[in-house]
Amino acid sequence: MEREDPYYMGLALQEAEKAFVRDEVPIGAVIVYKNEVIARAHNRVEELQDPTAHAEILCIKQAALYLDNWRLRESLLYCTLEPCSMCAGGLILSRIHTLVWGAPDRRQGADGSWVNLFDLKHPIHQVIVRNGVLQEECAQLLVEFFKKKRLEKA
């Protein structure tokens, strides 16, 4: 873990909390480029009725617009949950340099919890991955959200 990882993951958690309040699965992400946050997002799947509106994908789009370049080679993406295969593909295709995630996603995680797309040798780009940053805090927000959802159904 790099010493700045908890700080940036804390910002991603703030985004996840916004999703929680909006009744979205509480996942947040930020992209850092040359020590500056250039994109922030949280899940907006329900709001937009768009299954691709994951925090990571929304962040990648924002960062590409900010840099006026789809290649995010020197960027780091911090996400509160292990990315799914769609988001992992987006990270690889956008050439994100480093991914840092918090809690594992045993149902959809594409960094080893379900499948491992980052271990596969890619012919163009390899993403550096660090995980488990603020894992408890990231996981707890998800536990609270799904507990609340179960109570609403009862």
Side-chain angles (χ1 to χ4, degrees), residues 8 11-13 15-16 27-33 36-44 48 52-70 72 75-80 86-87 90-91 94 96 99-100:
Y8 291 121
L11 297 179
L13 268 167
E15 288 297 315
I27 301 166
V30 299
I31 292 182
V32 178
Y33 176 75
E36 177 186 351
V37 175
I38 63 167
R40 300 169 186 257
H42 55 273
N43 272 10
R44 296 178 62 200
L48 299 176
T52 70
H54 289 195
E56 302 95 319
I57 299 297
L58 297 173
C59 247
I60 288 168
K61 289 178 178 183
Q62 284 180 34
L65 285 172
Y66 180 87
L67 294 175
D68 195 27
N69 192 339
W70 64 269
L72 306 177
S75 300
L76 293 83
L77 185 139
Y78 289 83
C79 187
T80 57
M86 174 184 69
C87 293
L91 291 164
S94 66
I96 287 280
L99 161 67
V100 182

Side-chain angles (χ1 to χ4, degrees), residues 35-154:
N35 299 314
E36 177 186 351
V37 175
I38 63 167
R40 300 169 186 257
H42 55 273
N43 272 10
R44 296 178 62 200
V45 172
E46 298 297 333
E47 174 190 347
L48 299 176
Q49 289 299 295
D50 178 354
T52 70
H54 289 195
E56 302 95 319
I57 299 297
L58 297 173
C59 247
I60 288 168
K61 289 178 178 183
Q62 284 180 34
L65 285 172
Y66 180 87
L67 294 175
D68 195 27
N69 192 339
W70 64 269
R71 293 173 188 89
L72 306 177
R73 288 192 177 111
E74 298 178 51
S75 300
L76 293 83
L77 185 139
Y78 289 83
C79 187
T80 57
L81 187 68
E82 176 183 4
C84 69
S85 57
M86 174 184 69
C87 293
L91 291 164
I92 293 165
L93 291 170
S94 66
R95 315 297 198 269
I96 287 280
H97 183 271
T98 303
L99 161 67
V100 182
W101 56 266
D105 182 352
R106 303 199 194 299
R107 295 183 328 136
Q108 300 292 330
D111 186 34
S113 293
W114 176 57
V115 296
N116 197 333
L117 297 180
F118 298 110
D119 266 359
L120 298 173
K121 181 70 175 147
H122 191 273
I124 297 170
H125 180 70
Q126 202 68 33
V127 177
I128 296 168
V129 180
R130 297 192 292 270
N131 60 48
V133 177
L134 300 185
Q135 181 174 337
E136 293 300 317
E137 294 91 331
C138 294
Q140 187 57 41
L141 193 58
L142 287 158
V143 167
E144 288 174 26
F145 178 80
F146 288 110
K147 182 177 180 181
K148 179 182 125 197
K149 290 307 241 180
R150 283 189 299 276
L151 289 172
E152 287 172 1
K153 286 185 177 183

